[in-house]
Structure formats: C-alpha cells, structure tokens
Amino acid sequence: MWDLLKAVVLGTLQGLTEFLPISSSAHLRIFPEWFGWGDPGAAFTAVVQIGTELAVLIYFRKDIWNIGSTWVKAIFKPELRGTHEARMGWFIIFGSLPIVVLGIALKDIIESEFRNLWIVAAMLVVMGVVLGIADRVGRNERRTEQIQMKDAMLMGLAQAMALVPGVSRSGATISMGRFLGLEREAATRFAFLLAIPAVVGAGLFTLPDIPNGDNTYGWGPTLVATVVSFVVATPPSRGCCATSRRAPTRRS
C-alpha cells in the first residue's frame, strides 16, 4: 500500500512537470531521494512518461492525424509529397533517429552513471542557462511551415541530450529551435510532436525491465503512477488540438 501511495505522488509529480521545460525525469530522480524513497529507476521513469505523452497525443490529435494521414497518402500520391504535413512526417521520423540510436547504444550508462545526482543537478543548472540564452537571442524569424530537414536533425540531436536526467527534452529541443530562429510557438509545437515517438518508444522499450531490472517498483505501482500522470497532465477539452492556439511549454 505504501508503494502505491508513493506511486500516486510520483505520478502527480510527473504530470505537473511534463509540460514545463524543467526535466520531469530529473524531478523523479531528485524528489524521492529527499524523502528516502531511493531511485525509482530508469525503467519506471520511462514508463510513467507514457502517461503524460498520452495527454500530448490528445492535445495534438488533429495535428497528428493530419500529419500521419498525409504522410501515408504521399507515399502513393506524389503531388502530396511537397505539402507541409507530409514533410513534417519525415522531419519527425528523421529527427527521432538520434535519440533512438543513442538510447539503445547507451542504455546501460543511462540506467547507471547518468542517474548520479551530481550529474542531474549540474544538467538542471546548465539547461536553465541555455534555455534563457536561447530565448534571449532567438530571432523569431521563422514559423512552423518554414522548418527544414536540417532544423529537424539539429533539434533531434538536441532532444537526444535528454537521455541524461536533468536535461529537459522540450527545453533542449526548444532551445535549439530558438537558436535556429524559430518563433517560440513553432519551436514548442515541433518539440512536442518530435517527443512523441521518443517518449512512447522509450517507455515500450523499457517495459520488460520493470519486473526484472533495478527498479524500486513493480507493475502495480508503475501502472498506478502512469495512470495518475495521464490524469494530471490531460488538458481541458476546450484547449485540445487547436492548431492556431499557443501550445503549452513542456519537458521531458
């Protein structure tokens, strides 16, 4: 029962921090240590983030449908290949490659050395400074429709830095977008969309480690924390999917 109560607390923490560029994974690493609960584990952290990513899927469901359906149609209809939606599909695919490759290659280090509290704390400070500088020097010259493949790859490389707890996934991606001259809304929107394959993929990839890996919690608390994180992070229905509205700012 005590583990379930802790899972509710950690799920709430994940839901509250996911939409801020402050690294929810860092908070899931630091907060339990304050109370002597120990490290919940890399697999627990990755799986719980699926809950908040489901909330992102709900928020952007129209965008995701438009991009996905147009990308599939463009495979068979050449006239659609130059559309913004079809190109965004490719941008998300190629932008996701860095974190996938590095995540698999560095899996053991991510689950051990990278979870050192000194590294986590240092990365929180560094990313706060980087995000502040990026927003100050960002030129606000380009909108979402002007994103190019090189932008997607560079933002994908920035996202891969979030394999280190303390580096906010959205914070790193948004910072790179701002350095590239994207407007705040454009950088934030693409960061959200780019994170979907990475977060969901990481959660599914680490599912087998929940009962077998070096994790504090088993299936029950992990599922409870995931559901709680989804409920806490789910936006009001009136705010969902309005592509013309400003997206919330967020991590990973």
Side-chain angles (χ1 to χ4, degrees):
M1 179 60 71
W2 179 232
D3 280 351
L4 292 178
L5 291 175
K6 289 191 286 187
V8 170
V9 173
L10 295 178
T12 301
L13 181 65
Q14 168 65 28
L16 292 174
T17 56
E18 179 68 13
F19 293 95
L20 299 171
I22 57 175
S23 182
S24 61
S25 59
H27 285 73
L28 288 180
R29 177 67 183 94
I30 295 172
F31 185 85
E33 290 288 348
W34 282 349
F35 293 92
W37 298 352
D39 184 356
F44 174 87
T45 301
V47 173
V48 170
Q49 289 179 345
I50 292 179
T52 44
E53 207 59 30
L54 290 176
V56 174
L57 288 170
I58 291 175
Y59 189 94
F60 284 105
R61 65 181 181 271
K62 287 186 178 179
D63 285 5
I64 294 168
W65 172 257
N66 290 336
I67 292 171
S69 60
T70 304
W71 181 84
V72 172
K73 291 176 183 177
I75 296 176
F76 306 99
K77 297 181 178 181
E79 64 271 17
L80 295 178
R81 294 174 186 173
T83 62
H84 169 68
E85 289 78 8
R87 292 169 61 243
M88 282 289 286
W90 286 114
F91 295 163
I92 292 171
I93 291 172
F94 281 97
S96 298
L97 292 179
I99 198 169
V100 171
V101 173
L102 291 175
I104 295 174
L106 302 176
K107 183 176 184 293
D108 292 339
I109 299 176
I110 294 169
E111 295 176 349
S112 54
E113 284 90 341
F114 281 0
R115 298 188 67 79
N116 181 283
L117 287 174
W118 287 105
I119 294 178
V120 175
M123 290 299 98
L124 281 172
V125 175
V126 170
M127 278 310 304
V129 173
V130 171
L131 185 60
I133 294 174
D135 194 57
R136 180 176 291 272
V137 303
R139 298 186 302 276
N140 287 315
E141 292 178 346
R142 303 163 60 205
R143 303 195 307 180
T144 305
E145 294 77 10
Q146 296 172 296
I147 292 177
Q148 302 295 323
M149 181 62 78
K150 67 176 183 178
D151 303 317
M153 293 302 298
L154 288 172
M155 293 174 76
L157 287 170
Q159 177 179 246
M161 295 174 59
L163 293 169
V164 182
V167 177
S168 164
R169 179 179 287 103
S170 64
T173 313
I174 292 170
S175 294
M176 179 59 74
R178 297 290 288 139
F179 282 128
L180 293 170
L182 294 178
E183 297 176 342
R184 291 190 185 95
E185 185 174 356
T188 302
R189 179 171 177 266
F190 188 70
F192 270 74
L193 295 172
L194 186 62
I196 293 172
V199 175
V200 175
L204 295 177
F205 181 69
T206 56
L207 272 176
D209 293 337
I210 293 298
N212 304 316
D214 297 328
N215 295 286
T216 303
Y217 306 104
W219 280 116
T222 301
L223 291 175
V224 168
T226 303
V227 171
V228 170
S229 71
F230 167 74
V231 173
V232 172
T234 301
S237 58
R238 64 178 180 275
C240 290
C241 317
T243 57
S244 63
R245 297 178 183 177
R246 189 172 299 276
T249 54
R250 135 215 229 248
R251 142 21 276 168
S252 201

